[in-house]
Structure formats: C-alpha cells, structure tokens
Amino acid sequence: MRRDMALLRLLLLQLEEIDEDGQSIYEIGEDDLPIDGYTWDQVSYHYTLADEAGLVDAAGGPPLEGGIVFRRLTWAGHDFVDAVRDEEIWRKTREGALAAGGFSIDLVKDLAKGFIRKKVEQLTGVDL
C-alpha cells in the first residue's frame, strides 16, 4: 500500500477532534472514523504509519482486531496538523511537494511552515 499524505492529514485532523482530554484511551473501529474516499484498511494502515512516525500516542497497545487504539496526538502530531490545517496552505504544500517529485513528513511540514511564514509576513509586514 502506498503512503498517502492527504489521507494522513485527514486522519490526524479527525483524531485531533476525537481527543477530549489527552489522557483517555479510545478504541476506534471502522464506523467511528470514516474518511470519504478511503477504505478502513487504508485508514488503519496510515494510523500505523502515524504511530511509527511519532505523530500519535497509540497508548502502548497493539491495534485491536479490526480497530485501533488511540490516546492523543503527540507534540510532533500537533505540529504537523497545525502546519497543514489551512486548506490553502495544504494545497500549496501538496503542489510544491509534487513538483519536487516526492513527499516526506518532514518535507511536507517544512513546506507548509514556509507558506505559513510567507502568509504571516504578508499579513503583518514582519519578516520572519
């Protein structure tokens, strides 16, 4: 299965909404986390990738039979989500990464942060 940064982004945005207190452990099944255009196998695979990348705290447990275990986004997960939350920034980030011929989490985050810096500079006149 191929890694899909668009799916990873959507998944992390939805997980951020699920987490209420940063301490509860959520057992999430297919019906609890639908993402339009993607199968549950794709979603759960990308959750595993997010865990391996240190973007989520999987509560130290293995995936449930047919589901996932989730506690919260990590600091790195929040940084990633904050960098790609805005649709315009995400569109530019995807275009830039595709033009460069590849995606990595670090590249996506760095590109998104660069576009955010430009936007802040335009809005405030302060060079960052």
Side-chain angles (χ1 to χ4, degrees), residues 79-95:
D79 279 352
F80 181 83
V81 167
D82 287 343
V84 298
R85 182 183 316 279
D86 182 85
E87 289 293 335
E88 177 188 350
I89 298 293
W90 175 243
R91 181 185 53 74
K92 289 179 179 180
T93 300
R94 279 192 62 158
E95 289 172 358

Side-chain angles (χ1 to χ4, degrees), residues 26-41:
Y26 303 92
E27 295 180 354
I28 301 169
E30 182 173 355
D31 295 336
D32 302 319
L33 194 61
I35 299 179
D36 289 340
Y38 296 97
T39 67
W40 177 249
D41 287 341

Side-chain angles (χ1 to χ4, degrees), residues 1 7 11 33-35 38-49 68:
M1 185 176 301
L7 172 53
L11 173 61
L33 194 61
I35 299 179
Y38 296 97
T39 67
W40 177 249
D41 287 341
Q42 291 170 309
V43 171
S44 61
Y45 177 75
H46 281 74
Y47 180 79
T48 300
L49 292 177
I68 59 175

Side-chain angles (χ1 to χ4, degrees), residues 88-89 92 114-128:
E88 177 188 350
I89 298 293
K92 289 179 179 180
F115 287 122
I116 291 169
R117 279 188 192 97
K118 284 184 112 173
K119 191 172 186 178
V120 168
E121 289 172 0
Q122 291 170 349
L123 294 172
T124 66
V126 176
D127 290 334
L128 300 177

Side-chain angles (χ1 to χ4, degrees), residues 101-122:
F103 275 101
S104 74
I105 287 177
D106 290 335
L107 174 66
V108 168
K109 193 165 53 171
D110 289 346
L111 271 172
K113 288 185 337 189
F115 287 122
I116 291 169
R117 279 188 192 97
K118 284 184 112 173
K119 191 172 186 178
V120 168
E121 289 172 0
Q122 291 170 349

